[in-house]
Amino acid sequence: MSGSVYNTTKRSHVGPSYYALDINQFVTAFLQSLQNRNLKAVSETAIGSMIINTFTSFTLGEGLEPQSSPETQALGWTEEQRSAFISQAESFFRRYAGSKRIDHYGKLNFYQLQNIALRNCLVDGDALLHRSFRNGYHNYEPYIQVLSGRWVRNPYGEIDTKEKIGGVSFDRAGREIGYWIAETANDLVDNFTSHYVLKYNPKSSFEEFNLIRLDLHEANQVRGIPVLSPVLEDIFDLETFKAAYKQKAATQALFTGIITSEKDAPAPVVSTIENLRNLSSPSEAEMITKAQSGQVSDISLGSGNIIQLNPGEKWDMAESKVPATDFEKFVESELTHIASGVGNGGLAYEMVLQKYNDNYSASRATIAGQEKKFKSLRSVFSTQFCDPIWEQVIDWGIRKGYIEAPGYIDGDWMFRKSVLACTWIGPSPINIDPKKEVEAHIMAINAGLETKEDAVREMFGKDYEETVERRVHEKELEESSGLTEDLNPDIQPSEQEENSNE
């Protein structure tokens, strides 16, 4: 951002209102400051924490689940070959991805790493995904490493150039070729140096680094923007207001009087000695001594203090003058503004606080609109984070002989992409009225507007084929045990329920 200065005290831009042609000149100039302040907002304010938790929980839930979708027509497979591959691939991936062996640090599984990667992207603007194999490509296991975007920065604080922007290196064509990863000293203190890693390492059998970015504004944007950046000032200002209101409430809870004297009134004399004589603690005894000697004691607010007045004195109650006549409505108004202004499409106020309108239609419209935004974020994240890991693990499983995929080894890259096609199932939307939701899906299925697979995925976030297999197993188990429960009772709605629906 040419010709402007960032004021860290007032947290504002001063100078000419000018934005450079290259967005990177603006983004990377203040990226570290934005990352630190976003982290502060998430770590130290309830509002920042709620927003990040809402994004992660509604986008990922317990973790996105893969649904293998090989393109049968492009592959020339039979339906039996396709079904066998899907079953083997999904089972193999769940076993390996569900273990901690996939993590470079050996602490988390794939589904937990999803949460870490998404939080890093939201708070820091982006995250670095490192994929590789232990000791070899054909003989050993794949692993992944997730690094926060805060680790990607130019070495020694160097300024950006066309070849190096925000810790990312480029070739002459403007394509990313490597990243600079910050280092710490032995005592874990930042030493402002970085080591360089190639995006694709030709000396390794397989090693790849990719910077995951979610909220990009321009095609050539190198670094992502932390999600709370547009509303940081509002969050901190609201926290200040909340603190002032709490202080007001605490002050109002104290029953303390203040004595005011007339202009010509005699000097005040402490007249509470008789009351103080009944106190026995050392500090209170010291107060009595000071009062008898005529020393002026410190004046402070206290609960239940009653002071005898001298001639010419009058009594006033201590009262805060903080202008907050309707605190709750003011906070709701500010939260609505903050939630709608965050990055990645914004959030609905109701989703942040999980507080919905009493009207079913209004609440359903809010949830439906927000779910579209979560789907968009889920798609961008799964494309950059989940797809590469799925492809790496399944490719390894095929080469090791755990998964049958006819023609894969000798096929070209398009054939392999068709084999490795996958969709990711996220958490189901909130169902305010499950009965109405089910009835709506049944009507859509009967009208040919959607499939049962679509309904199972949208309502419950589950895999349809796995659901059918479980139902078949349950039916066989019930028949063998003689259990014949009626799961479809003819339940009539109560009069109260009918009135509420009206």
Side-chain angles (χ1 to χ4, degrees), residues 125-147:
D126 41 42
L128 189 65
L129 173 62
H130 173 211
R131 296 186 296 131
S132 187
F133 282 82
R134 294 184 178 91
N135 300 326
Y137 182 61
H138 296 288
N139 301 323
Y140 297 96
E141 301 172 347
Y143 71 87
I144 59 176
Q145 181 183 16
V146 179
L147 295 174

Side-chain angles (χ1 to χ4, degrees), residues 448-465:
L449 301 177
E450 73 172 358
T451 65
K452 291 183 179 180
E453 181 178 5
D454 296 331
V456 169
R457 182 189 308 168
E458 182 173 344
M459 283 204 66
F460 305 104
K462 295 182 178 180
D463 181 88
Y464 176 71
E465 294 185 5

Side-chain angles (χ1 to χ4, degrees), residues 278-309:
N278 296 325
L279 306 177
S280 58
S281 67
S283 59
E284 291 164 343
E286 184 178 354
M287 291 171 60
I288 296 175
T289 303
K290 288 185 177 181
Q292 290 174 332
S293 62
Q295 298 181 26
V296 179
S297 301
D298 293 335
I299 299 176
S300 62
L301 297 181
S303 180
N305 289 347
I306 299 177
I307 303 174
Q308 181 178 346
L309 304 182

